[in-house]
Amino acid sequence: MSSAYEAIYQFWNTAILRTGIKLGIFEFLEENPSCTAEKVTDFLNSDPRFTDSFLEACVVLGFLDKEANCYKNSKDTSKTLISGKTEYLGDLALHITNYWSTWGKLDQLILEGRTELPFENGFVDAPTYWKDYMQGQHNRAESGQIDNLIKSTDLTGRKTLIDIGGGMGSYSIPLCKVYPDLQVCLLDAKEPLELARQLVIEQELGDRVLLKEGNFHTAELEADYDVALISGVVCVTSEENNRKIFSRAFEILRPGGLVIVQDFMQIGENQQKHFLDTMMDMYLKIAFSPGAGDFTGEEIVSWLKDAGFKNHQQTLLPTQLNIITAEKL
């Protein structure tokens, strides 16, 4: 089968996944395994024939298993599409598929060289977009990236960390649990900080995590941080802005301070990673900023060097996010 033929139908698969999440079908079947189509129809109050077709589509795609006339979640669905589980990816799936209409205009966006957010074309409203975005990044963190960050860095003896554009604190809050003497300043906009506040309360870290609303370029910050964590920020903006971020990070770190850049970036190479990096590069440009991209590790290192950082180390991780560290000597 040709690559073109396979690609023609792939958006159907994505629509089935998004629909199952939005309608709560996977959650319902987790609580009520081995349901008939009639029971699912009653739960949804939906059209029986449409529901039958949808459930069969979920089976052929591997989201559901069917025994006799009853449906249940597949093993993978139970692991990745049920909220509250460690490897849950439902919010991330909603965030990525919120760009449905944006991808549908890709030809126009390429010609114009511009970004279009989902709430700008009316696919979802702004609050929904930002909630799905932040929760989706949290899914990514909890499904393994937190462990990768902890294993790949050593913050022993370091007392203060600033999490720049840290969102819900998906990484800096777990770092507080690993390093009991660490104090964190979580800097971001109002909306993600509201979600971060819930996590801070849940983890009983109110005395160690300061939530600071503001823009990193203009916020008043003391030059007394041991660590600057820059996660998921570099890929969504331009080289010019990243250079400014690194320069400010250098200014607010103490001598001997450590910068950690964790992001989509091209470090190492294999066929699967090359595919993901290439597709991610296109997505970042239409989804965040025309100047955004899946930059190479060498590009990011050069920007860090120009900002004054030394002792750069690139770490290839088993996930798509990689890590670069450097020091202010």
Side-chain angles (χ1 to χ4, degrees), residues 118-147:
F119 53 82
E120 293 174 332
N121 56 41
F123 190 74
V124 295
D125 59 33
T128 298
Y129 170 78
W130 289 113
K131 175 183 70 66
D132 290 344
Y133 172 56
M134 297 313 309
Q135 294 280 11
Q137 301 315 302
H138 191 64
N139 288 172
R140 192 191 304 280
E142 291 206 312
S143 62
Q145 193 62 31
I146 291 172
D147 292 336

Coordinates of all heavy atoms in Angstrom, one line a residue, residues 118-147:
P118 N -6.3 27.5 17.7 CA -7.6 27.0 17.6 C -8.7 27.9 18.0 O -9.8 27.8 17.4 CB -7.6 25.7 18.5 CG -6.2 25.3 18.5 CD -5.4 26.6 18.5
F119 N -8.5 28.8 19.0 CA -9.6 29.7 19.3 C -9.7 30.9 18.4 O -10.6 31.7 18.4 CB -9.4 30.2 20.8 CG -8.1 30.8 21.1 CD1 -7.8 32.1 20.8 CD2 -7.2 30.0 21.8 CE1 -6.6 32.6 21.2 CE2 -5.9 30.6 22.1 CZ -5.6 31.9 21.8
E120 N -8.7 31.0 17.5 CA -8.7 32.1 16.5 C -9.6 31.6 15.3 O -10.1 32.5 14.6 CB -7.3 32.4 16.0 CG -6.5 33.1 17.1 CD -5.0 33.3 16.7 OE1 -4.5 32.6 15.8 OE2 -4.4 34.3 17.2
N121 N -9.7 30.3 15.1 CA -10.5 29.8 14.0 C -11.8 29.2 14.5 O -12.6 28.7 13.7 CB -9.8 28.8 13.1 CG -9.2 27.6 13.8 OD1 -9.9 27.1 14.7 ND2 -8.0 27.2 13.5
G122 N -12.0 29.3 15.8 CA -13.3 28.9 16.4 C -13.5 27.4 16.7 O -14.6 27.0 17.0
F123 N -12.4 26.6 16.5 CA -12.5 25.2 16.8 C -12.8 24.9 18.2 O -13.7 24.1 18.6 CB -11.3 24.5 16.3 CG -11.5 23.0 16.3 CD1 -12.2 22.4 15.3 CD2 -10.9 22.2 17.3 CE1 -12.4 21.0 15.3 CE2 -11.1 20.8 17.3 CZ -11.8 20.2 16.3
V124 N -12.2 25.6 19.1 CA -12.5 25.6 20.6 C -12.3 27.0 21.1 O -11.7 27.9 20.5 CB -11.5 24.6 21.4 CG1 -11.7 23.2 20.9 CG2 -10.1 25.1 21.2
D125 N -12.9 27.2 22.3 CA -12.8 28.6 22.9 C -11.4 28.6 23.6 O -10.7 27.6 23.9 CB -13.9 28.9 23.8 CG -14.1 27.9 25.0 OD1 -13.1 27.4 25.4 OD2 -15.2 27.7 25.4
A126 N -11.0 29.9 24.0 CA -9.7 30.1 24.5 C -9.5 29.3 25.9 O -8.5 28.7 26.1 CB -9.4 31.6 24.7
P127 N -10.5 29.4 26.8 CA -10.3 28.7 28.1 C -10.1 27.2 27.9 O -9.2 26.6 28.6 CB -11.6 29.0 28.9 CG -12.0 30.3 28.3 CD -11.7 30.2 26.9
T128 N -10.9 26.6 27.0 CA -10.7 25.2 26.7 C -9.3 24.9 26.1 O -8.7 23.9 26.5 CB -11.8 24.7 25.7 OG1 -13.1 24.9 26.3 CG2 -11.6 23.2 25.4
Y129 N -8.9 25.7 25.2 CA -7.6 25.5 24.6 C -6.5 25.5 25.6 O -5.7 24.6 25.7 CB -7.3 26.6 23.5 CG -5.9 26.5 23.1 CD1 -5.4 25.6 22.2 CD2 -4.9 27.4 23.6 CE1 -4.1 25.5 21.8 CE2 -3.6 27.3 23.2 CZ -3.2 26.4 22.3 OH -1.9 26.3 21.9
W130 N -6.5 26.5 26.5 CA -5.4 26.6 27.4 C -5.4 25.5 28.5 O -4.4 25.0 28.9 CB -5.4 28.0 28.1 CG -4.9 29.1 27.1 CD1 -5.7 30.1 26.6 CD2 -3.6 29.2 26.6 NE1 -5.0 30.9 25.7 CE2 -3.7 30.3 25.7 CE3 -2.4 28.5 26.7 CZ2 -2.6 30.8 25.0 CZ3 -1.3 28.9 25.9 CH2 -1.4 30.0 25.1
K131 N -6.6 25.1 28.9 CA -6.8 24.0 29.9 C -6.2 22.7 29.3 O -5.4 22.0 29.9 CB -8.2 23.8 30.3 CG -8.5 22.6 31.2 CD -9.9 22.5 31.5 CE -10.7 22.0 30.3 NZ -10.4 20.6 29.8
D132 N -6.6 22.4 28.0 CA -6.2 21.2 27.4 C -4.7 21.2 27.1 O -4.0 20.2 27.3 CB -6.9 21.0 26.0 CG -8.4 20.6 26.2 OD1 -8.8 20.2 27.3 OD2 -9.1 20.7 25.2
Y133 N -4.2 22.4 26.8 CA -2.7 22.5 26.6 C -1.9 22.2 27.8 O -1.0 21.4 27.8 CB -2.4 24.0 26.1 CG -0.9 24.3 26.0 CD1 -0.1 23.4 25.2 CD2 -0.4 25.4 26.6 CE1 1.3 23.7 25.1 CE2 1.0 25.6 26.5 CZ 1.8 24.8 25.8 OH 3.1 25.1 25.7
M134 N -2.3 22.9 28.9 CA -1.5 22.7 30.2 C -1.7 21.3 30.7 O -0.7 20.7 31.2 CB -2.0 23.7 31.2 CG -1.7 25.2 30.8 SD -0.1 25.5 30.2 CE 1.0 24.8 31.4
Q135 N -2.9 20.8 30.7 CA -3.1 19.4 31.2 C -2.4 18.4 30.3 O -1.9 17.4 30.8 CB -4.6 19.1 31.2 CG -5.4 19.9 32.2 CD -5.3 19.4 33.6 OE1 -4.5 18.5 33.9 NE2 -6.1 19.9 34.5
G136 N -2.4 18.7 29.0 CA -1.7 17.8 28.1 C -0.2 17.7 28.3 O 0.4 16.7 28.3
Q137 N 0.4 18.9 28.6 CA 1.8 18.9 29.0 C 2.1 18.1 30.3 O 3.1 17.5 30.5 CB 2.4 20.3 29.1 CG 2.2 21.2 27.8 CD 2.6 20.4 26.6 OE1 3.7 19.9 26.4 NE2 1.7 20.2 25.6
H138 N 1.1 18.2 31.2 CA 1.2 17.5 32.5 C 1.1 16.0 32.2 O 1.8 15.2 32.9 CB 0.1 18.0 33.4 CG 0.3 17.5 34.8 ND1 1.3 17.9 35.6 CD2 -0.5 16.6 35.6 CE1 1.2 17.3 36.8 NE2 0.1 16.5 36.8
N139 N 0.2 15.6 31.3 CA 0.2 14.2 30.9 C 1.6 13.7 30.4 O 2.0 12.6 30.9 CB -0.8 14.0 29.7 CG -2.2 14.1 30.0 OD1 -3.1 14.1 29.1 ND2 -2.6 14.2 31.3
R140 N 2.2 14.5 29.6 CA 3.5 14.1 29.1 C 4.5 14.0 30.2 O 5.3 13.0 30.2 CB 4.0 15.2 28.1 CG 5.2 14.8 27.3 CD 5.8 15.9 26.5 NE 4.9 16.6 25.7 CZ 4.5 16.2 24.5 NH1 5.0 15.0 24.0 NH2 3.7 16.9 23.7
A141 N 4.5 14.9 31.2 CA 5.4 14.8 32.3 C 5.2 13.6 33.1 O 6.1 12.8 33.4 CB 5.2 16.1 33.2
E142 N 3.9 13.3 33.5 CA 3.6 12.2 34.4 C 3.8 10.8 33.7 O 4.1 9.8 34.4 CB 2.2 12.3 34.9 CG 2.0 13.5 35.9 CD 0.9 13.2 36.8 OE1 -0.2 12.8 36.3 OE2 1.1 13.4 38.0
S143 N 3.8 10.8 32.4 CA 3.9 9.5 31.7 C 5.3 9.1 31.5 O 5.6 8.1 30.7 CB 3.1 9.5 30.4 OG 3.7 10.5 29.5
G144 N 6.3 9.7 32.1 CA 7.6 9.3 32.1 C 8.7 10.4 32.0 O 9.9 10.2 32.4
Q145 N 8.3 11.6 31.6 CA 9.3 12.6 31.4 C 9.9 13.1 32.7 O 11.0 13.5 32.8 CB 8.8 13.8 30.5 CG 9.8 14.7 30.1 CD 10.9 14.1 29.1 OE1 10.5 13.2 28.4 NE2 12.1 14.6 29.2
I146 N 9.0 13.1 33.8 CA 9.5 13.6 35.1 C 10.7 12.7 35.5 O 11.7 13.1 36.0 CB 8.4 13.5 36.1 CG1 7.3 14.6 35.8 CG2 8.9 13.6 37.5 CD1 6.1 14.4 36.7
D147 N 10.5 11.4 35.4 CA 11.5 10.4 35.8 C 12.8 10.7 35.0 O 13.9 10.6 35.5 CB 11.0 9.0 35.6 CG 9.9 8.6 36.5 OD1 9.8 9.2 37.6 OD2 9.2 7.7 36.2

